[in-house]
Amino acid sequence: MRVLITGVVQPFSPSTRCSRMHVVQLAELAAVLTHHGPAILYRHAAVPPEAINGYWTASRLRIDLWNQSLARFTRAKASGNHYRMRCWWQDHTGVLEEVLASEVLTRVVAALADGIDRAGNRDEFSPIAQAIHLSHLEVRNRVQEAILDRRGCAVQDAVRLNKLRVVVERWIDALIGHLSGADPSLVRYGIDSSRTRAHAEEAGTMSTAPGRETIAWLTQASMTDGLRRIIAKTPSLPHANREVANSAMMILRPDLFDSVGVLKSLWVHRIQNDSDRTDQMIQDYLRPDVDDSATVSAFDAIHASALAQWFRY
């Protein structure tokens, strides 16, 4: 499967990148979903049940693995053995990095699920995504407590993890702000509401700019480069990351792609929607019995109610 990521075709296949899924690639996927988020929200189509089930299963499995790692730290602290705590930090620092960095995708998926369900007057995906979001926040809080505790943690590791937290929070606000440009109510999924609103206003002004694709590509490249400079090169939970990525990819329904496997832009969806409406009106007016036309019937109903309102006075 190929996905157009802001102008660059990136391969996603189990035999290549996904076999060793790094958490930075989850952030890249979050950028893809964010860039095409307005088109996803515009379609108002439901997310497939298998995508919802897959996202719940994969995310819960990864959260359980995180909790198991943090439980080992709790036991190490209870033992009072400094060497044991130091060994835990050496073995699990990568897991803590993934907890912090993968929050980007978790918040983006939760925001999209909220927007999709609200636009379609449904309550299908958002409860699942919100539950995963809250569980992720609980684990993140435990990670922050471990960083503040610092028993067994080297100073440079604590500083690096805190720097990663700050960087991730800023990129969360940038991506959620982009989604909020299409749906202002999604601002609440950001970290800093004022910063998220500022990004939303900027996204609104750039929605029709000729260089929108270039700006999105540069944003993603900057985020990826910034995260790679901080996070370890070797993934700690590559299989769990891959399963989460596969389930999140299923949010991108087949109707969002064109005939060559490239994600359609929001303007293409709007043009197609207007074309479908025009074709429907033409078909209605070409029917032998015009009274059977759905379009004409709707017009007559509105016209009749307007006349009744007029002559009532």
Side-chain angles (χ1 to χ4, degrees):
M1 181 179 185
R2 298 192 307 165
V3 180
L4 184 64
I5 303 179
T6 61
V8 179
V9 176
Q10 302 285 350
F12 276 86
S13 63
S15 61
T16 55
R17 299 180 68 187
C18 287
S19 60
R20 296 284 295 174
M21 178 66 71
H22 197 281
V23 69
V24 175
Q25 293 172 280
L26 296 183
E28 293 179 10
L29 177 56
V32 175
L33 294 175
T34 299
H35 179 61
H36 296 280
I40 297 173
L41 297 175
Y42 178 78
R43 296 297 296 178
H44 295 181
V47 177
E50 56 270 19
I52 300 176
N53 294 334
Y55 183 71
W56 168 261
T57 303
S59 298
R60 286 304 313 176
L61 175 61
R62 187 179 60 171
I63 290 173
D64 289 342
L65 293 175
W66 290 343
N67 285 325
Q68 291 174 17
S69 298
L70 292 170
R72 298 188 189 100
F73 179 65
T74 302
R75 291 194 294 268
K77 284 196 304 180
S79 68
N81 189 327
H82 181 79
Y83 175 76
R84 184 178 176 184
M85 287 186 286
R86 180 57 187 157
C87 291
W88 182 91
W89 276 100
Q90 292 176 346
D91 296 337
H92 296 84
T93 301
V95 176
L96 304 186
E97 292 175 350
E98 294 193 356
V99 172
L100 296 175
S102 60
E103 187 181 354
V104 179
L105 180 61
T106 300
R107 286 184 181 261
V108 168
V109 172
L112 282 175
D114 185 8
I116 292 171
D117 279 2
R118 199 160 14 83
N121 293 322
R122 292 182 295 268
D123 198 18
E124 299 173 353
F125 190 19
S126 56
I128 300 297
Q130 184 68 11
I132 297 299
H133 177 213
L134 295 178
S135 298
H136 196 144
L137 293 184
E138 292 178 1
V139 179
R140 186 197 65 172
N141 291 337
R142 295 181 64 185
V143 170
Q144 291 177 342
E145 290 177 0
I147 296 173
L148 291 174
D149 187 278
R150 280 196 50 220
R151 277 183 283 181
C153 177
V155 175
Q156 59 268 25
D157 290 337
V159 171
R160 183 167 57 85
L161 287 172
N162 187 61
K163 181 180 179 181
L164 175 62
R165 177 190 63 83
V166 174
V167 170
V168 168
E169 288 180 354
R170 291 185 178 276
W171 283 116
I172 286 174
D173 289 339
L175 297 184
I176 295 298
H178 183 85
L179 287 176
S180 301
D183 187 349
S185 64
L186 301 181
V187 170
R188 64 190 182 92
Y189 288 96
I191 301 292
D192 187 327
S193 58
S194 60
R195 189 166 57 200
T196 305
R197 289 191 182 93
H199 284 292
E201 294 175 0
E202 182 179 356
T205 59
M206 296 300 297
S207 60
T208 58
R212 179 175 178 271
E213 295 289 335
T214 303
I215 294 173
W217 182 84
L218 291 174
T219 300
Q220 177 187 332
S222 178
M223 179 186 66
T224 302
D225 181 68
L227 292 177
R228 288 191 184 278
R229 291 175 182 271
I230 305 174
I231 300 176
K233 295 182 180 180
T234 304
S236 297
L237 299 172
H239 179 72
N241 292 336
R242 181 186 63 191
E243 294 301 318
V244 172
N246 288 341
S247 61
M249 285 286 291
M250 295 179 69
I251 299 175
L252 301 174
R253 304 176 306 277
D255 61 300
L256 297 174
F257 295 84
D258 61 16
S259 58
V260 296
V262 177
L263 282 166
K264 303 174 186 175
S265 66
L266 176 60
W267 286 106
V268 172
H269 286 291
R270 287 175 174 172
I271 292 172
Q272 289 180 339
N273 189 39
D274 292 340
S275 299
D276 293 340
R277 291 179 180 177
T278 303
D279 292 341
Q280 180 64 39
M281 292 181 65
I282 293 174
Q283 292 176 4
D284 289 341
Y285 283 115
L286 290 179
R287 289 186 180 183
D289 188 355
V290 180
D291 292 335
D292 292 337
S293 170
T295 304
V296 175
S297 299
F299 173 79
D300 290 340
I302 297 173
H303 186 62
S305 62
L307 288 177
Q309 183 74 13
W310 176 268
F311 285 109
R312 188 175 64 179
Y313 298 100

